Amino acid sequence: MTRASLDKRPEEVAAMFDGTAERYDLLNSLMTGGLDRRWRRAVVAALDVRPGERVLDLAAGTGTSSIPFAEAGARTVACDFSFGMLTVGLRRTGRLPEGSRPRFVAGDALRLPFADGVFDAVTISFGLRNVADTDLALRELRRVTKPGGRLLVCEVSHPPNRLLALGHRLHLRYGLPLLARVSSNPDSYRYLAESTLAWPGQRELAQRLIAAGWGSVRWRNLTFGVVALHHAVNPA
């Protein structure tokens, strides 16, 4: 993996996730101290899907984030560009009751394989910073969302408190690289640290959502701003 930047090579990012697919959910929990579960619950509550709605969960990975939407009665599509992640997700969700299974679709966030205006709600968790063109991905998400449909972005962010922000940066610069040294897949840890440091803050991401055509944009910090939820509506 090359040094993480906002000019990412999709094939390299996909290959990295293919290599971590089997242990991806476990690594997430270990790296976040279990906070990832709390963040996923916040996403489910904030999107507030209803039975019969069509929901797109982009960058869904193994589908862990998609299952609660399907269990709520929504017709859920779990879309990802990593075939390794999708393969693991298909195997794991195959054990669930049919009504709790999302439908897995391979797709590129910059060229979504869906018609215009087909989803009532779209969401992406910890995946927006992995795409090569954030603004194009936001426009694509809007394209496939119905007028009045809603968007929820859950992504790493930057604590507004200066002292917490300093501690967060130190952890990313020095803590995660230490984990990388003992990991079987050190590139994933380095990429996580570098992509988080390069990612814009809450206000800048909100401005990019507005520039992509989304309306009623607002955000809410989780865990002191280490993660943020951005809400928006398609006004078209």
Side-chain angles (χ1 to χ4, degrees), residues 17 20-29 31 59-62 85 92 125-126 130:
F17 283 109
T20 61
E22 287 288 351
R23 302 180 64 200
Y24 178 76
D25 295 317
L26 174 61
L27 289 173
N28 269 349
S29 292
M31 285 190 295
T62 62
M85 289 284 203
R92 291 180 181 172
S125 294
F126 305 110
N130 296 327

Side-chain angles (χ1 to χ4, degrees), residues 10 28-29 31-32 47 50 73 90 111 113 115 118 147 161 163-164 166 179 192 204 217-218 225 228:
N28 269 349
S29 292
M31 285 190 295
T32 65
L47 201 59
R50 303 170 187 88
L90 277 168
R111 295 180 296 275
V118 294
N161 179 281
L163 185 59
L164 289 175
L166 175 61
L179 288 174
L192 173 63
E204 183 182 345
V217 176
R218 66 191 192 281

Side-chain angles (χ1 to χ4, degrees), residues 39-87:
W39 297 334
R40 283 199 298 269
R41 288 195 296 269
V43 169
V44 173
L47 201 59
D48 189 27
V49 301
R50 303 170 187 88
E53 285 192 317
R54 292 183 181 272
V55 175
L56 170 63
D57 185 13
L58 184 58
T62 62
T64 300
S65 59
S66 311
I67 292 170
F69 303 129
E71 289 178 334
R75 290 174 286 177
T76 306
V77 175
C79 183
D80 202 279
F81 70 162
S82 165
F83 285 99
M85 289 284 203
L86 294 170
T87 300

Side-chain angles (χ1 to χ4, degrees), residues 1 17 30 80 88 94-95 97 101 115 135 137 161 174-175 197 199:
M1 171 62 64
F17 283 109
L30 291 175
D80 202 279
V88 171
R95 307 164 187 162
R101 299 178 204 164
D135 301 313
N161 179 281
Y174 303 108
L197 287 166
W199 187 247

Side-chain angles (χ1 to χ4, degrees), residues 138-217:
L138 292 174
R139 293 195 298 272
E140 270 291 275
L141 281 167
R142 180 171 174 250
R143 178 185 66 78
V144 301
T145 305
K146 294 178 181 179
R150 55 208 189 275
L151 164 72
L152 187 70
V153 177
C154 179
E155 191 53 270
V156 297
S157 199
H158 305 284
N161 179 281
R162 291 184 180 180
L163 185 59
L164 289 175
L166 175 61
H168 188 228
R169 287 196 300 272
L170 289 174
H171 171 65
L172 291 171
R173 290 186 185 278
Y174 303 108
L176 284 184
L178 285 175
L179 288 174
R181 292 182 183 180
V182 299
S183 169
S184 60
N185 191 357
D187 286 340
S188 61
Y189 287 91
R190 285 195 291 266
Y191 176 82
L192 173 63
E194 295 169 4
S195 62
T196 300
L197 287 166
W199 187 247
Q202 293 88 325
R203 189 173 301 278
E204 183 182 345
L205 180 55
Q207 292 169 344
R208 294 173 81 161
L209 283 161
I210 293 169
W214 292 96
S216 303
V217 176

